[in-house]
Structure formats: C-alpha cells, structure tokens
Amino acid sequence: MSYGTETGTTLPNDVVEWSVDFRGKPSVRSSSGGWRSSGFIIGAQVSEKFAYFGIASNLITYLTGPLDESTVAAARNVNLWLGTTAILPLIWGSIADSFLGRFRTILITSSLYILGLGLLTFSATIPSICKDQETLVSCVPQVKVTIFFCALYLIAVGEGGFKACIRAFGADQFDENDPQESNAQSSYFNWLHFSISTGALSTRLISNYVQENLSWALGFGIPCLSMMLGLFSFLLGTNTYRFSIGEEGRKHNNPFVRIGRVFVAAAKKQPHILSETIPLLPAQRSNKFRFLDRAAISCSSSEIEEAKGVLSLVPMWTCCLVYGIVYAQSPTFFTMQGSTMDRSISSSLQVPAATLQCFISLAIIVFIPIYDRLFVPIARSITHKPSGITTLQRISTGIFLTIVAMVIAAVIETKRLKTARDHGLVDSPQATVPMSVFWLVPQYVLFGVSEVFTMVGLQKFFYGQIPVELRSLGLSLYLSVVGIGNILSTILVSIIEKATHQSGQVSWFANNLNQAHLDYFYWLLACLISIAFLSFIYVAKSYVYNTPK
C-alpha cells in the first residue's frame, strides 16, 4: 500500500492509510481514532444539544410571552428559525468539504454559536414591557426584539456549521476498511443519538424549568455555558483525532463545481456519438443514471460517480420532506396544546408545557439500547444482514410510526376540545382545560421511537451512500430534510391560516386554542405523511445501494 505521495511505501498494519493525525503524520490505529476519539466528539455534541434544545424547545413560549407574539406569528418564527438552522448545514458542508475542512469549520462555527448565545442572554435582561407615551399601552421594546432575533440567527449560523461537520468528523474516526471499526461505526450513529438525546432530556428538564419559573436570562445563560463546555471537550481530543486525507486534498476543489461540471458536460453530449467518443470507464462504475456517462469525455470517472451518488439521493430526500413537516410540530403546536391543559403535579408545582418534549428524549434513550442490543441481533439472525434490516427499511418504519403518532395526536386534540366545550371554556382562552397534560405523552413517545428509526437511519443513509469526500454535504442533506420541512410547515400554516380565517370564520390556529382546530391540522398531516410513506416505499424498492446495507 502507498501513503500520500510516497508511492511504493509499505504501511504497517497499525497505520490507517486514508488519514493523518493533527501533526500531518500517518494516523496510528492504536493511538488515534475509534471510540477513543469519538468520545470527545460525542461529549461535545451532548453539550451542544443541551444548548440548542435549551433554546429551541421553549422558544414558542418566549415569543408568545415576553415578546407578546400571536400563536400563528410565533409558530411561523419558530419554524422559520428551525428551518434555517437545518438548511445552513448545506452551505457549511460545502465550505468544509471544499475549503476549510471539518475541524476548522467546527472551531469557527462553535465560536459564532457561543457569541450568539451570549447575545441572546443579554437580550433577555432588557425589560420586556415599556409604555407607549401617547397611548400608554404596554409594548415590547424594539431594541429587545432586534437584539433577540439577531442573536437567534447568529446561533443558527453557528449551529448550522457545527452540526454539518461534527457528526461526519466523528464517523471519520472509524476506518471503514477495518471490519471491527466498520461495525463500531454502525453503532456510533445509534449511540451518538442516544447521547444527544441525553443532553436534550437534561435541558428540557433543567433549562425549561429555569426559564419559566426563575429567569429567562438565566435560562438562556445556562445553554451558553454548556456550549463553552462542548467546545472545550472537542479541543481536548485534538491529539487523538484522525483527519481525512481526501478532505485535505480537495479544499480548493468545490464539490458543487465538480458535480455541476458533470451535469453540464452530460447535457452537451449527444447519444449518437457516445460509442465513438466516450473513453472506456472503469469496470466498477455504477449503472445508475447512465446518461451522466456522457460526461466522461471531459470529466473523470470519480467525478461522474460523485454526481451519480448525489443524484440518487434526491428521490429519497424528497419523500422524507413531509416527515420534516410533521417533525416540526413537537416544539410548536404540541407545546401550545399542552399549555392549555392541566399541568399540575402537586398543589404548588406545574410542569412547563415544553418539558413534555423530554418524553421524546426518554423514548430515544430507552429504545436505542433495545434496538442496538436486542432488535438488531434478532433481525440479523432472520435476515442475515449485518444491520438486521436495511437502512431504507429502518427509515420507512419510522415514517409509519409517525403516521400513528399524528392519528393519536388528532384524537387527543379532539378530546381536549370536547372537554373544553363540556366545561364551558370555549370563550376562556386563559382557563385551564380540566384534562391532564399527560394525555399527550403517547404522541411524544411515538415521535421519539420513530426518530430512532428514521432520523438515525437518515444519518446513516446519507453518510454511507454519498462519496467519501462529500460526507459533510451528505449529512447536511439529512439535516436539510428537517430544515426544509420546517419551512414547508411555515408555508402550510400560513396558507391554512388565510384559508380558514376568511368571512369571520375561526382560524384553525386561533390564539384561543379552545376555538381553534388543531385536530383538523393533525388529520391533514396524518394524510400527507401517509402519502409520503407510500411514495417512499415505491422509490425504495428500486434503489441500489453503493455498498451492502
């Protein structure tokens, strides 16, 4: 085997051929990579998710409370921000794969992230109420709103770059050519999600309580400190990390340019001249999207395969967008729904509505060990597949569970509305509906279990099925499912709001949720996700994996 430019140099078995250490020397398996390195990376991600969900999970409460926004406006702002944080990884992933590299991108965006969290904390210290001098009507200071949203989107910029690279960088610590490390990489995605959910659960229990019962400034400050801790954890592992040679070697060769060049070249060539002009391509080329082989005259075979790899993901990605729309409901309408219900645990203690999202994290924490240690071995013994079931089967299972979750959510919301009517609370939006908030637990739990199947499956799918040098971009595509889903949710809510608020009718999303019809919205989403599920099954049947999955 050869390493770098030293052709003909034989590598010892302990050296990982495709990577270097932080000094630029060949990585040694016994002292770098594997769980040794990924432990620092997972620790950083736990801290980051504590910070992220400390803001995201209760954001709608802050918008409708201290910032005095309507339910619809707050839901739109939350979805737009969540969508932005999940779409920005596409840009950062390209920058990392083309110029900066994953390690540098993580450092830069972590710093922006911490700066945004600090600015957000400062905005919360500005008094929330002022008096209009002419009308003496209470108002929210514009400077508070401006600083808040600037901070919020600075967080989005930092978080988008951080998560675009940190997961791929963690997976890079495992050598796919080594059977033992390859199996460990498969478990890495499961246990990564387990650890992230632990961070999310912790912040939903701690930060949400602090925000609603003590201080919003303190509730935002704690996530800021957590992100600082995450960056420190990441830097601690620097001496043990493996850095991809392919990533370093292509910093000045933009993947979008390479892929775009293939499509342009393929579009220019005519089929009738293919046999005379196209050079012989390597025997290992894929048979997918053969029209791109026309680009062989001006593009290398590796560039053509990259373009095919990216293009083959588009149908799967498209079918999952509705899942992204449904995924957007737990931090918005689920939370607003819970805020109207009986949240008391004792005579003096109430559960913050956003804290119910902890059941998503709990479901993930409980189910991932069951999936990894029980379900996979049993399925493997039946199917003889290394992962028990294929990645696409895993994703489709999660989408199906989401259908069930939305049906349950619609039924429970119908029951909540009936309870409000039976107790004469239809015109009393501030009154507590005498129905326990824990009726919402089943839909949250199903969201968590479906996430183990779908979200972890999407991570593994987009990481494993895209060319190695574009893996930051590949995981960014997975994240963009959630991002575009949030934006589509915003658009859908706006359309329904306009359509149902005409001629004096009560909107589905009225500020008075006892008059609104979230149940209709949930039924609509159940229908849309059912169509997406059938479409995904149809497309998945014809998909050919790059490697056995």
Side-chain angles (χ1 to χ4, degrees), residues 90 310 313 317 462 466 472-481:
L90 286 172
V310 173
L313 301 178
W317 178 84
F462 282 109
I466 204 166
S472 293
L473 182 62
L475 283 179
S476 298
L477 284 171
Y478 136 72
L479 293 167
S480 71
V481 167

Side-chain angles (χ1 to χ4, degrees), residues 49 86 92 101 149 174 199 222 276 326 386 415 431 435 444 489 506:
K49 286 307 172 189
W92 279 114
F149 279 104
F174 299 92
I222 292 174
E276 301 174 6
V326 174
K415 177 178 175 59
M435 176 178 171
Y444 279 111
S489 178
V506 177

Side-chain angles (χ1 to χ4, degrees), residues 122-143:
F122 170 72
S123 74
T125 64
I126 301 173
S128 296
I129 300 297
C130 64
K131 290 285 185 180
D132 188 296
Q133 296 303 314
E134 295 182 1
T135 64
L136 298 180
V137 176
S138 297
C139 61
V140 179
Q142 188 60 40
V143 65

Side-chain angles (χ1 to χ4, degrees), residues 133-452:
Q133 296 303 314
E134 295 182 1
T135 64
L136 298 180
V137 176
S138 297
C139 61
V140 179
Q142 188 60 40
V143 65
K144 180 184 180 74
V145 176
T146 302
I147 294 176
F148 172 80
F149 279 104
C150 286
L152 201 62
Y153 280 90
L154 184 57
I155 291 170
V157 171
E159 205 264 347
F162 183 89
K163 68 183 178 185
C165 299
I166 191 73
R167 299 181 188 192
F169 190 72
D172 288 344
Q173 305 309 307
F174 299 92
D175 182 5
E176 292 179 317
N177 297 318
D178 179 82
Q180 185 175 357
E181 289 197 19
S182 179
N183 290 335
Q185 187 193 73
S186 181
S187 292
Y188 162 77
F189 286 109
N190 286 332
W191 291 105
L192 169 64
H193 217 73
F194 175 89
S195 302
I196 286 174
S197 297
T198 302
L201 172 63
S202 300
T203 197
R204 283 164 174 161
L205 291 173
I206 298 171
S207 296
N208 291 349
Y209 178 84
V210 171
Q211 289 162 358
E212 293 196 27
N213 294 279
L214 298 178
S215 163
W216 281 100
L218 180 60
F220 290 155
I222 292 174
C224 184
L225 293 174
S226 179
M227 188 60 208
M228 291 180 183
L229 180 63
L231 178 58
F232 178 71
S233 172
F234 179 73
L235 291 173
L236 275 180
T238 301
N239 291 353
T240 72
Y241 294 148
R242 296 173 184 171
F243 299 85
S244 170
I245 296 173
E247 174 190 344
E248 295 296 316
R250 287 209 174 186
K251 284 181 187 176
H252 303 291
N253 191 357
N254 192 299
F256 286 121
V257 173
R258 296 199 304 270
I259 294 170
R261 185 166 57 238
V262 171
F263 284 104
V264 171
K268 288 181 178 178
K269 304 304 170 186
Q270 299 300 320
H272 68 273
I273 61 173
L274 282 177
S275 60
E276 301 174 6
T277 59
I278 291 184
L280 291 175
L281 293 175
Q284 66 268 28
R285 74 185 189 279
S286 66
N287 291 320
K288 299 180 290 186
F289 307 111
R290 295 293 299 274
F291 69 92
L292 291 178
D293 292 342
R294 304 172 189 172
I297 292 178
S298 56
C299 301
S300 69
S301 60
S302 62
E303 290 175 336
I304 294 173
E305 290 306 308
E306 282 181 347
K308 289 183 178 181
V310 173
L311 186 59
S312 66
L313 301 178
V314 172
M316 303 298 175
W317 178 84
T318 303
C319 291
C320 289
L321 289 179
V322 178
Y323 177 83
I325 295 175
V326 174
Y327 189 80
Q329 307 314 312
S330 64
T332 53
F333 290 122
F334 280 14
T335 300
M336 295 304 297
Q337 185 182 7
S339 67
T340 68
M341 303 170 74
D342 181 9
R343 296 179 283 123
S344 60
I345 295 179
S346 64
S347 58
S348 59
L349 182 62
Q350 275 199 337
V351 178
T355 300
L356 262 71
Q357 295 174 49
C358 71
F359 285 101
I360 296 178
S361 303
L362 276 172
I364 294 170
I365 291 170
V366 170
F367 190 70
I368 280 183
I370 295 173
Y371 182 90
D372 197 62
R373 301 302 183 190
L374 184 62
F375 176 81
V376 170
I378 293 175
R380 185 187 294 139
S381 66
I382 298 173
T383 65
H384 305 292
K385 297 181 184 295
S387 299
I389 57 176
T390 67
T391 309
L392 294 180
Q393 287 172 338
R394 179 173 185 167
I395 295 169
S396 61
T397 300
I399 295 176
F400 176 78
L401 290 175
T402 308
I403 298 173
V404 179
M406 291 314 301
V407 170
I408 290 175
V411 171
I412 291 176
E413 174 60 8
T414 301
K415 177 178 175 59
R416 189 193 69 82
L417 290 173
K418 182 178 184 301
T419 302
R421 288 195 300 270
D422 291 346
H423 288 81
L425 301 176
V426 173
D427 297 318
S428 304
Q430 301 302 320
T432 299
V433 176
M435 176 178 171
S436 174
V437 73
F438 293 104
W439 275 91
L440 302 181
V441 169
Q443 64 202 56
Y444 279 111
V445 169
L446 278 173
F447 259 49
V449 176
S450 73
E451 192 170 324
V452 173

Side-chain angles (χ1 to χ4, degrees), residues 286-288 312-313 316 392 461 465 539-549:
S286 66
N287 291 320
K288 299 180 290 186
S312 66
L313 301 178
M316 303 298 175
L392 294 180
F461 178 73
Q465 296 301 299
V539 173
K541 285 183 177 179
S542 60
Y543 184 82
V544 178
Y545 289 97
N546 291 335
T547 55
K549 294 292 178 183

Side-chain angles (χ1 to χ4, degrees), residues 480-501:
S480 71
V481 167
V482 177
I484 295 181
N486 275 278
I487 291 175
L488 291 176
S489 178
T490 301
I491 295 172
L492 183 61
V493 167
S494 298
I495 292 173
I496 294 174
E497 166 72 9
K498 290 181 180 179
T500 60
H501 197 58

